Amino acid sequence: LPITLTIAAAAAVLDVWLAARVSRLRRGYKVSIGDGGNEALLRRIRAHGNYVENMPIALILLAVLELAGGDRRILWGAALLFILSRILHAFGMDRASPPPSRLRMFGMIGSTLALVILAGYAVFLLYQHPAALR
């Protein structure tokens, strides 16, 4: 599963980076648990949390599609869109709103689009070759 393994490695690096961004602010604001009422820290915590909430389903879909013989171009495209969108989302979460950050918006749209592509492709593969996948 070379695509899934590559993206899982990128996902792990991204997770460490997001956690480090939270830790830096925690040290700076001297907050060990929670957000201490600090909006900037809350935004970083949520950027990391949102990533952790969404990444597992992306990796599961990617792995299953790769095992099912999905088109590598579609898998690479959706996977890279997801990873890059999560980076945009993280930077976008640094900006207080209103107005909403464009980076956050593009990150949310790209992440959702990647998940919809992977989910739709899974259904397509299942019904395109139902006997081969059962």
Side-chain angles (χ1 to χ4, degrees), residues 7 10 24 31 40 46 63 66 77 80 86 90 95 112 115 118:
I7 296 304
R24 265 190 306 256
V31 176
R46 282 309 309 143
E66 192 169 4
L80 292 173
R86 297 318 303 180
R95 181 172 171 211
T112 302
L115 288 174
L118 290 171

Side-chain angles (χ1 to χ4, degrees), residues 44-67:
R44 291 257 175 112
I45 290 169
R46 282 309 309 143
H48 184 225
N50 187 270
Y51 172 78
V52 170
E53 294 160 5
N54 285 280
M55 179 49 72
I57 191 64
L59 285 176
I60 290 167
L61 280 166
L62 188 61
V64 172
L65 284 164
E66 192 169 4
L67 282 170

Side-chain angles (χ1 to χ4, degrees), residues 2 10 17 33 53 72 75-76 80 83 95 99 105 110 112-113 128-129 134:
W17 175 71
I33 297 176
E53 294 160 5
R72 296 172 55 83
L75 301 182
W76 274 117
L80 292 173
I83 292 291
R95 181 172 171 211
M105 180 184 69
T112 302
L113 181 60
Q128 182 72 20
H129 306 288
R134 290 191 188 153

Side-chain angles (χ1 to χ4, degrees), residues 11 34 38 79 95 98 102 109 123 125 133:
N38 183 290
R95 181 172 171 211
R102 286 189 186 274
I109 291 169
V123 172
L125 275 184
L133 297 177

